Amino acid sequence: MEQAERRAVRAQTDPERMIDASSQDVSTLLGRAATMLAVVRTAAETEAEMRDLYVELHAARRRNLARFVAGLAEIGGLREGLDRETATSHVWSLGSPDLFLLWTGPTGRRPRSLPRMACGRLEAPLRGHDTNFEWNQIVCQSAVVESHKRG
């Protein structure tokens, strides 16, 4: 069953507002779940059942984010030439629980400050507003790798 927050995101008719609403929703969700997912990830290194759970949790995250991308595409919110699968990969990576913990842990950022930052990061690949997208992607991927090394 789709929750009210996800319905509110999908009800947006303006791409920037949809991205902003989704960024706020994802930040709220990650504020509640990111630490738990890190625990599951750590347990997955030695326990097969936890590995299965970890894989399924990320698969479910990807399915949910694919719905967001589909809604964004329906209102003309994807930049020209960007297919839904690639857009979903960008959103899935930028909405990573590991990246969230990296942003809120060592940086000292408060979770409330993340929606605008995440929104800006999402607008780059989805809407084409940032000419430094490749650099941003490399930085985000590096942050996730560093987070896994520490985790």
Side-chain angles (χ1 to χ4, degrees):
M1 177 197 285
E2 189 175 41
Q3 295 176 335
E5 293 84 359
R6 260 72 331 120
R7 284 192 304 272
V9 169
R10 289 190 47 90
Q12 297 296 323
T13 57
D14 175 74
E16 280 78 16
R17 286 187 181 180
M18 182 180 264
I19 290 170
D20 188 53
S22 179
S23 296
Q24 296 219 16
D25 184 40
V26 168
S27 292
T28 299
L29 290 171
L30 290 175
R32 290 186 232 142
T35 302
M36 182 270 310
L37 287 167
V39 170
V40 173
R41 183 192 70 226
T42 300
E45 294 173 8
T46 58
E47 300 293 327
E49 289 178 3
M50 295 303 278
R51 176 165 168 51
D52 292 344
L53 174 61
Y54 185 69
V55 168
E56 177 50 37
L57 288 170
H58 278 288
R61 252 185 11 89
R62 189 172 183 91
R63 286 190 301 271
N64 288 335
L65 292 170
R67 283 190 208 99
F68 159 69
V69 169
L72 193 59
E74 289 169 11
I75 62 170
L78 297 183
R79 68 176 158 82
E80 188 174 329
L82 180 64
D83 63 87
R84 290 181 186 195
E85 183 60 30
T86 302
T88 299
S89 292
H90 290 309
V91 173
W92 184 82
S93 296
L94 292 171
S96 161
D98 294 316
L99 189 56
F100 178 86
L101 290 174
L102 186 66
W103 277 343
T104 58
T107 64
R109 287 189 180 100
R110 301 183 64 146
R112 284 188 301 244
S113 72
L114 293 177
R116 190 66 242 159
M117 183 184 346
C119 185
R121 292 293 182 244
L122 286 175
E123 286 173 351
L126 301 180
R127 303 283 294 147
H129 291 227
D130 186 350
T131 58
N132 293 317
F133 168 66
E134 290 80 13
W135 173 249
N136 290 335
Q137 187 177 28
I138 291 166
V139 169
C140 288
Q141 287 172 350
S142 297
V144 171
V145 168
E146 280 302 309
S147 175
H148 280 287
K149 286 181 185 175
R150 289 187 205 117

